[in-house]
Short mmCIF file of all heavy atoms in Angstrom, two decimals:
data_model
loop_
_atom_site.label_atom_id
_atom_site.label_comp_id
_atom_site.label_asym_id
_atom_site.label_seq_id
_atom_site.Cartn_x
_atom_site.Cartn_y
_atom_site.Cartn_z
N MET A 1080 -39.14 225.20 16.09
CA MET A 1080 -39.47 225.26 14.64
C MET A 1080 -39.87 226.67 14.27
O MET A 1080 -40.44 227.40 15.04
CB MET A 1080 -40.61 224.30 14.33
CG MET A 1080 -40.23 222.86 14.50
SD MET A 1080 -41.45 221.76 13.84
CE MET A 1080 -41.53 222.28 12.15
N ALA A 1081 -39.56 227.01 13.02
CA ALA A 1081 -39.95 228.32 12.49
C ALA A 1081 -41.46 228.34 12.26
O ALA A 1081 -42.08 227.33 11.94
CB ALA A 1081 -39.21 228.60 11.20
N SER A 1084 -43.59 226.35 9.38
CA SER A 1084 -42.91 225.14 8.89
C SER A 1084 -43.79 223.91 9.18
O SER A 1084 -44.65 223.93 10.05
CB SER A 1084 -41.54 224.99 9.52
OG SER A 1084 -41.65 224.82 10.90
N TYR A 1091 -45.27 203.27 8.65
CA TYR A 1091 -45.05 201.99 8.01
C TYR A 1091 -45.93 200.95 8.68
O TYR A 1091 -46.08 200.96 9.89
CB TYR A 1091 -43.56 201.54 8.16
CG TYR A 1091 -42.57 202.47 7.51
CD1 TYR A 1091 -41.90 203.40 8.26
CD2 TYR A 1091 -42.34 202.42 6.15
CE1 TYR A 1091 -40.99 204.26 7.68
CE2 TYR A 1091 -41.41 203.27 5.55
CZ TYR A 1091 -40.74 204.19 6.30
OH TYR A 1091 -39.85 205.03 5.73
N SER A 1094 -48.79 193.32 7.99
CA SER A 1094 -49.64 192.35 8.68
C SER A 1094 -49.00 190.97 8.53
O SER A 1094 -48.26 190.71 7.61
CB SER A 1094 -51.05 192.33 8.13
OG SER A 1094 -51.09 191.80 6.83
N SER A 1099 -55.14 180.42 9.14
CA SER A 1099 -55.98 179.43 9.85
C SER A 1099 -57.37 180.01 9.96
O SER A 1099 -57.54 181.19 10.26
CB SER A 1099 -55.40 179.12 11.22
OG SER A 1099 -56.31 178.33 11.96
N ALA A 1100 -58.38 179.18 9.80
CA ALA A 1100 -59.77 179.63 9.88
C ALA A 1100 -60.14 180.07 11.30
O ALA A 1100 -61.13 180.77 11.47
CB ALA A 1100 -60.70 178.54 9.41
N LYS A 1101 -59.35 179.69 12.30
CA LYS A 1101 -59.68 180.01 13.68
C LYS A 1101 -58.78 181.10 14.29
O LYS A 1101 -59.02 181.55 15.38
CB LYS A 1101 -59.60 178.76 14.54
CG LYS A 1101 -60.61 177.72 14.15
CD LYS A 1101 -60.47 176.48 15.00
CE LYS A 1101 -61.46 175.42 14.53
NZ LYS A 1101 -61.31 174.20 15.29
N SER A 1102 -57.74 181.48 13.58
CA SER A 1102 -56.76 182.43 14.14
C SER A 1102 -56.91 183.81 13.50
O SER A 1102 -57.25 183.94 12.35
CB SER A 1102 -55.34 181.93 13.88
OG SER A 1102 -55.13 180.71 14.54
N SER A 1104 -55.14 187.34 12.31
CA SER A 1104 -53.88 187.85 11.82
C SER A 1104 -53.43 188.98 12.76
O SER A 1104 -54.15 189.46 13.62
CB SER A 1104 -54.03 188.39 10.41
OG SER A 1104 -54.43 187.34 9.56
N THR A 1106 -51.57 192.86 13.12
CA THR A 1106 -51.24 194.16 12.48
C THR A 1106 -50.10 194.80 13.28
O THR A 1106 -50.09 194.77 14.49
CB THR A 1106 -52.46 195.10 12.52
OG1 THR A 1106 -53.46 194.56 11.70
CG2 THR A 1106 -52.09 196.51 12.01
N VAL A 1109 -45.42 201.43 12.72
CA VAL A 1109 -44.59 202.39 13.43
C VAL A 1109 -44.85 203.78 12.87
O VAL A 1109 -45.17 203.94 11.68
CB VAL A 1109 -43.08 202.05 13.32
CG1 VAL A 1109 -42.74 200.82 14.07
CG2 VAL A 1109 -42.64 201.96 11.88
N PHE A 1111 -43.34 207.79 12.63
CA PHE A 1111 -42.21 208.67 12.77
C PHE A 1111 -42.63 210.11 12.44
O PHE A 1111 -43.37 210.34 11.53
CB PHE A 1111 -41.10 208.30 11.75
CG PHE A 1111 -40.44 207.00 12.01
CD1 PHE A 1111 -40.93 205.83 11.44
CD2 PHE A 1111 -39.31 206.92 12.82
CE1 PHE A 1111 -40.32 204.62 11.66
CE2 PHE A 1111 -38.68 205.70 13.04
CZ PHE A 1111 -39.18 204.56 12.47
N ILE A 1112 -42.12 211.05 13.24
CA ILE A 1112 -42.17 212.47 12.85
C ILE A 1112 -40.73 212.82 12.56
O ILE A 1112 -39.86 212.69 13.44
CB ILE A 1112 -42.76 213.37 13.95
CG1 ILE A 1112 -44.25 213.10 14.06
CG2 ILE A 1112 -42.50 214.84 13.62
CD1 ILE A 1112 -44.97 213.99 15.06
N SER A 1121 -48.77 196.87 17.77
CA SER A 1121 -48.83 195.52 17.33
C SER A 1121 -50.00 194.87 18.04
O SER A 1121 -50.04 194.87 19.26
CB SER A 1121 -47.53 194.76 17.64
OG SER A 1121 -47.63 193.40 17.26
N ARG A 1123 -53.61 191.92 17.52
CA ARG A 1123 -54.41 190.99 16.75
C ARG A 1123 -55.52 191.75 16.04
O ARG A 1123 -56.07 192.70 16.58
CB ARG A 1123 -55.04 189.92 17.65
CG ARG A 1123 -54.04 189.04 18.29
CD ARG A 1123 -53.63 187.94 17.33
NE ARG A 1123 -52.68 187.07 17.99
CZ ARG A 1123 -51.90 186.28 17.37
NH1 ARG A 1123 -51.92 186.23 16.07
NH2 ARG A 1123 -51.05 185.51 18.02
N ILE A 1126 -61.06 190.75 13.31
CA ILE A 1126 -61.79 189.70 12.57
C ILE A 1126 -60.80 188.73 11.95
O ILE A 1126 -59.62 189.04 11.80
CB ILE A 1126 -62.74 190.27 11.50
CG1 ILE A 1126 -61.93 191.07 10.46
CG2 ILE A 1126 -63.79 191.14 12.12
CD1 ILE A 1126 -62.78 191.56 9.32
N SER A 1131 -54.22 186.72 2.72
CA SER A 1131 -53.17 187.66 3.14
C SER A 1131 -53.51 189.08 2.64
O SER A 1131 -53.20 190.06 3.32
CB SER A 1131 -51.81 187.22 2.62
OG SER A 1131 -51.82 187.13 1.23
N GLU A 1135 -53.94 192.47 4.94
CA GLU A 1135 -53.25 193.75 4.68
C GLU A 1135 -54.26 194.90 4.64
O GLU A 1135 -53.96 196.00 5.17
CB GLU A 1135 -52.51 193.69 3.32
CG GLU A 1135 -51.32 192.75 3.33
CD GLU A 1135 -50.12 193.26 4.10
OE1 GLU A 1135 -50.08 194.42 4.48
OE2 GLU A 1135 -49.20 192.47 4.28
N ALA A 1138 -55.24 195.72 8.16
CA ALA A 1138 -54.15 196.45 8.80
C ALA A 1138 -54.15 197.90 8.33
O ALA A 1138 -53.97 198.84 9.16
CB ALA A 1138 -52.81 195.78 8.48
N ALA A 1143 -54.76 203.61 9.35
CA ALA A 1143 -55.34 204.87 8.93
C ALA A 1143 -56.07 205.53 10.09
O ALA A 1143 -55.95 206.77 10.28
CB ALA A 1143 -56.27 204.67 7.75
N LYS A 1144 -56.81 204.77 10.87
CA LYS A 1144 -57.52 205.34 12.02
C LYS A 1144 -56.54 205.91 13.05
O LYS A 1144 -56.73 206.99 13.59
CB LYS A 1144 -58.40 204.27 12.69
CG LYS A 1144 -59.60 203.86 11.86
CD LYS A 1144 -60.59 202.99 12.58
CE LYS A 1144 -60.02 201.68 13.00
NZ LYS A 1144 -61.03 200.77 13.59
N THR A 1146 -53.47 206.95 12.43
CA THR A 1146 -52.81 208.10 11.81
C THR A 1146 -53.68 209.34 11.93
O THR A 1146 -53.20 210.45 12.24
CB THR A 1146 -52.44 207.81 10.36
OG1 THR A 1146 -51.62 206.65 10.29
CG2 THR A 1146 -51.75 208.98 9.69
N ILE A 1147 -54.97 209.20 11.68
CA ILE A 1147 -55.89 210.33 11.85
C ILE A 1147 -55.89 210.81 13.26
O ILE A 1147 -55.90 212.03 13.53
CB ILE A 1147 -57.32 209.91 11.36
CG1 ILE A 1147 -57.34 209.74 9.86
CG2 ILE A 1147 -58.35 210.96 11.82
CD1 ILE A 1147 -58.57 209.08 9.34
N ILE A 1149 -53.43 210.67 15.40
CA ILE A 1149 -52.16 211.40 15.64
C ILE A 1149 -52.25 212.78 15.01
O ILE A 1149 -51.85 213.77 15.55
CB ILE A 1149 -50.95 210.61 15.05
CG1 ILE A 1149 -50.70 209.39 15.95
CG2 ILE A 1149 -49.71 211.46 15.02
CD1 ILE A 1149 -49.65 208.47 15.44
#
Side-chain angles (χ1 to χ4, degrees):
M1080 294 191 57
S1084 63
Y1091 298 100
S1094 70
S1099 172
K1101 297 179 182 178
S1102 297
S1104 299
T1106 294
V1109 291
F1111 292 91
I1112 290 184
S1121 177
R1123 295 278 181 199
I1126 60 175
S1131 59
E1135 292 287 349
K1144 291 190 296 187
T1146 302
I1147 290 168
I1149 289 175

